[in-house]
Amino acid sequence: MVERTETESRKLLGRLRNAMANNVAGQARLDKITHLIADSMGTEVCSVYLFRDEETLELCATEGLEAEAVHQTRMRLGEGLVGRVARTGTIVNTPNAPAEKGFRYMAETGEERYSSFLGVPIQRLGEKLGVLVVQSRDARVYTADEVYGLEVVAMVIAEMTELGAFVGEGAALSARHQQPVLFRGTTGQEGAAEGHVWLHEPRVVVANPIADDPHRELERLHEAIEQLRVGVDEMLEMSRTGDSEQLQVLETYRMFANSKGWMRRMEEDISRGLSAEAAVEKEQSQARVRMSQVTDSYLRERLSDLDDLSNRLLRILTGQGRETGAEMPPDPILVARNVGPAELLEYGRSLRGIVLEEGAVGSHAAIVARALAIPLLVHAGRITTEALNGDHIMVDSDQGVAHLRPDDNVVTAFRDKIAMQADAQERYASIRNKPATTECGETIEMLMNAGLMADLPSLEGSGAEGVGLFRTELQFLIRNQMPKRTELAELYSRVLDSAHGKRVVFRTLDIGSDKVLPYMKPNDEPNPALGWRAIRVGLDKPGVMRMQLQALIRGANGRPLSIMFPFIAQFEEYRAARAEVDKTIAREERLGHVLPETLEVGAMLETPSMVFAPEAFFEEVEFLSIGGNDLKQFFFAADRENERVRRRYDTLNVSFLSLIERIVERCARTGTRLSFCGEDAGRPIEALCLAAIGIRSLSMRPASIGPVKSLLRRSNLEEVRDVITVARENGEQSVRPAVMELLRNRAAGRPVGNAPGTTSTS
């Protein structure tokens, strides 16, 4: 029975290939295919439904239903049995379709004559393209062999669709990879960029889904599998001295590469007429569907490993390695499912922008993208399956969107926005060397954040007066092993050289939470943001902290040195960290090393607990920097990685500003130097309000200094302070509306007293 079905499958695939070879229009080819399938399977009906948009399926060809229904019958995703197959990606096999829950009767098709129904998804690498259906008058349940055979045919139709075999009139038969597509995602790094797609993982194209000689295809598969196994074994041997997590991944690779079930399924696909490449891709597609449905993180990681292994096997079979011969465009926008920090640094500043299907706002890649000031969009689902190398793309990460192959209207509007930003940058250049002095005479110190040597040229060009935060963890994150003390000392020395005497605040190693070192075993914590991270790691691993402190002292080489500890949650943590500094200084002096000319030790205030710390803390600490990103997420109990909640809470919320004011008052009473560091410091409206409540030092990304300074120089802090005071007295939740109205009145030349909730000062 199986052998007969397999033979019939091969016969059908051979006939499909012949239909493909005919030089006919896409619609005629699709009509021919439905006839061949119905004839081969002995069914009265065969129909192909394809997506015309993300939510709508269209009947594109049929054998057995009314011809007039083609391109007229449409249904929403999830509607009817066809819509159920499309939505769930699973098979529906029933002898009595009208009795099935959710059945939708479409009178125009004449399908009331047919009882049995078998629908399988047409999908490729997890992307749903449509549904293939066969129907019969008899109330029959299709056999497992028939279901399997139809799945194989659906996979071939998916490949044909990808290769443009069914291009015709209408949205459902439009050519793939040619239409404009809008992708929505999450802002990882603000900015706008125009360029052309450069795929981090070039698409593997299966040009021969159907094979003539199953025996030869099996030989090709076995040879490729053997080559894959040897490659995995070699990687394992080279990594024996590496970290356990990397070894675990490679052991999983080896387990999959030697999986008899994986091999058997691919061999069976080949026996039914698929080529070796198509068999691998069929398994990969099903793994991606499963991956999209499981919620268990461990299972998702294992399925992701299988997906990566399938990619490696496809590259062996097709000879399509990463080096495809394609030349990187002069204005590359990197498109990838995900990318590591070291790989991103290899691309460097050559990239105009980055769009990732996965990733996170606080991921390593996002940290590097911010350091390189490259616009970054994450969570842009499906873009790697749609984009091709060289496609025109516009990324607006300010708005969280990417326009792939944009139409003329989008291009015009986007370029107008970029031109306006360029004009603004020219205006900012004219005040680069001028202080951020407000109309009321207050001067705000403008500092920049950095983390790479590549950042330091921005110190002069941006007009920053120093580096308020140098993230030292980036040098640890981009390596596969712990950096040496001498390497770090040389780096810190070059940082101070590049600063040309301007103050640089070095934040000690801030790892944990979303920043896990590749060579340190990650901790399985239910909430890592509130777990073992930053100073907690440093105090529990004093050897690492001492090594870094020694590198900082030696890198200073007699120059002034500022050290800041992250994530201090109680006074004793600061005292313990400060004691490590004192012990390290004493040891360096005994060893005869040059000590810093001056040494100041501070802390980041990122937890609400420290707002209420003993007075002695504010007296002993030599400077404080408010870490606005973490402080806000803990204050509002809103994870900043969670899009559902993080945007719900406003920095200009009256309660949060009152918390900041309390910090300002305590620092003023003890004479403690205070700054604000975080994304909000680089947003002009937020920065203006922070200055109005007493913050006199702001640290931000270099590109934000111009816009913030420009607004500060045109503003009166006393007016803004009045607005904040009245909004608080009126019980407002946020001061933003009143401040915006004040700025609009000023821009229009109207008396500022007209702003709701303000008192006139003019």
Side-chain angles (χ1 to χ4, degrees), residues 278-294:
V280 174
E281 193 167 274
K282 179 173 178 289
E283 282 299 304
Q284 186 180 20
S285 291
Q286 292 178 342
R288 285 199 180 178
V289 171
R290 293 196 298 273
M291 190 161 54
S292 69
Q293 295 170 344
V294 299

Side-chain angles (χ1 to χ4, degrees), residues 12-38:
L12 174 56
L13 290 179
R15 295 169 73 186
L16 288 178
R17 184 179 53 202
N18 293 336
M20 277 281 292
N22 293 335
N23 188 19
V24 295
Q27 182 66 59
R29 183 179 285 126
L30 200 56
D31 292 340
K32 179 67 172 175
I33 285 173
T34 56
H35 173 76
L36 289 175
I37 296 171

